[in-house]
Amino acid sequence: MSNTAGARFFSSSEVARTLGVSQVTLRTWEQRYGIGAAEREANGRRRYTVEDLERLRRMRALQAQGTGAGDAARLVLERSAAGVTAGQRRQRLAEAAEQLDLATIGGLVEDALGSLGVAKTWTDVVAPVLRAVGERWARGGDRNAMAAEWALAAASSGAVDRYQAPTPARTGRSPVVFVCGPAERHELPVKMLSAALNDDGAPAMFLGGLVPLDVLRVVAGRFAPSDVVVWSMTSQSADVRILRALHGEGVPVRPAGPGWRGLPTVGEPLPPSFTAALAGFGG
């Protein structure tokens, strides 16, 4: 057995519960397709590593796209899902969103994250589908479109939470802190931006919404961020007082999102383009 002191392992029951399959299925996949646990205990019990679990997550995600078990295992073991185009990913994601199928949405987004990385998952797959659904709702007030948008955003957010980004190198760089304005319900764009920075090896922290000003002060004092990005999608969630309070205390704040448009903000606004913002922080 390899030297794995200090490594995190999962039991068969934990993996089965996480993936939503039976332990019999896990054994079948290992026996038939060679995808399973890399380690065994002295008594023969399987011990799954974090990498094992991520491979099995991707296999489940490919199955959610309609790929057969054998082909899904092969693609994962080859560390390639190049046979699935961005257009196919968008189509399957849109179909799952219309059906409010949260599990399938999550699996599809997880597979895209593992195959494409965070930035391309957002720009090439998730954002175009969200935009199309949102435009349909805006045109006709279609409640089905509104529900599909909610399902896509909620399941995608969960997939980002589960995604294992590479551990950032210890470069001594200060982190970028992302926070949503009060009452902001559209957190996914900036959550993806934070995850994309981590994916590129740059330190970033996503705090979410409803973060009290005093908590932001503590975070800024403890981590000395290079920027505190305050995201607002709509004007209802854009609170200029937060920007001014932090700016007045020497915290490097940056407003981001269309909600700040026309308001008397302080700090350098983030570029509206996801790609431009990512490039600016990564530089």
Side-chain angles (χ1 to χ4, degrees), residues 217-251:
R217 290 183 170 116
V218 171
V219 169
R222 184 164 301 176
F223 295 100
S226 60
D227 296 279
V228 174
V229 176
V230 185
W231 167 262
S232 289
M233 186 74 173
T234 64
S235 59
Q236 288 82 359
S237 68
D239 191 339
V240 177
R241 292 172 298 179
I242 294 176
L243 294 177
R244 288 178 173 168
L246 293 175
H247 180 74
E249 295 169 20
V251 177

Side-chain angles (χ1 to χ4, degrees), residues 61-91:
L62 286 167
Q63 286 182 300
Q65 296 178 353
T67 306
D71 287 337
R74 177 179 55 79
L75 288 168
V76 170
L77 291 173
E78 290 175 353
R79 302 179 64 83
S80 171
V84 183
T85 68
Q88 289 171 323
R89 292 179 189 277
R90 290 193 295 269
Q91 180 179 350

Side-chain angles (χ1 to χ4, degrees), residues 247-267:
H247 180 74
E249 295 169 20
V251 177
V253 293
R254 300 188 69 174
W260 299 105
R261 191 176 297 127
L263 296 179
T265 60
V266 294

Side-chain angles (χ1 to χ4, degrees), residues 61 64-65 89 92-94 96 103-113 125:
Q65 296 178 353
R89 292 179 189 277
R92 291 165 180 169
L93 197 60
T104 297
I105 295 169
L108 293 170
V109 175
E110 282 184 30
D111 178 63
L113 290 168
V125 181

Side-chain angles (χ1 to χ4, degrees), residues 45-162:
R45 290 180 179 173
R46 292 168 174 81
R47 300 200 308 172
Y48 293 81
T49 65
V50 173
E51 291 77 16
D52 294 334
L53 181 56
E54 286 307 306
R55 279 193 290 268
L56 290 167
R57 280 188 190 278
R58 289 199 58 206
M59 179 169 174
R60 287 286 285 159
L62 286 167
Q63 286 182 300
Q65 296 178 353
T67 306
D71 287 337
R74 177 179 55 79
L75 288 168
V76 170
L77 291 173
E78 290 175 353
R79 302 179 64 83
S80 171
V84 183
T85 68
Q88 289 171 323
R89 292 179 189 277
R90 290 193 295 269
Q91 180 179 350
R92 291 165 180 169
L93 197 60
E95 291 169 353
E98 291 297 331
Q99 296 166 5
L100 308 184
D101 188 343
L102 298 178
T104 297
I105 295 169
L108 293 170
V109 175
E110 282 184 30
D111 178 63
L113 290 168
S115 302
L116 307 175
V118 178
K120 282 191 173 297
T121 293
W122 175 249
T123 60
D124 296 358
V125 181
V126 177
V129 178
L130 268 175
R131 192 178 305 115
V133 174
E135 289 173 354
R136 201 178 88 221
W137 175 74
R139 284 196 305 270
D142 184 350
R143 287 183 295 181
N144 291 323
M146 183 180 183
E149 183 182 28
W150 165 82
L152 179 53
S156 297
S157 181
V160 174
D161 289 336
R162 294 187 294 272

Side-chain angles (χ1 to χ4, degrees), residues 173-198:
R173 293 174 58 183
S174 298
V176 180
V177 171
F178 295 87
V179 65
C180 294
E184 179 56 61
R185 296 183 298 110
H186 301 86
E187 67 175 28
L188 188 58
V190 73
K191 187 174 187 177
M192 282 280 192
L193 181 57
S194 176
L197 276 174
N198 280 326

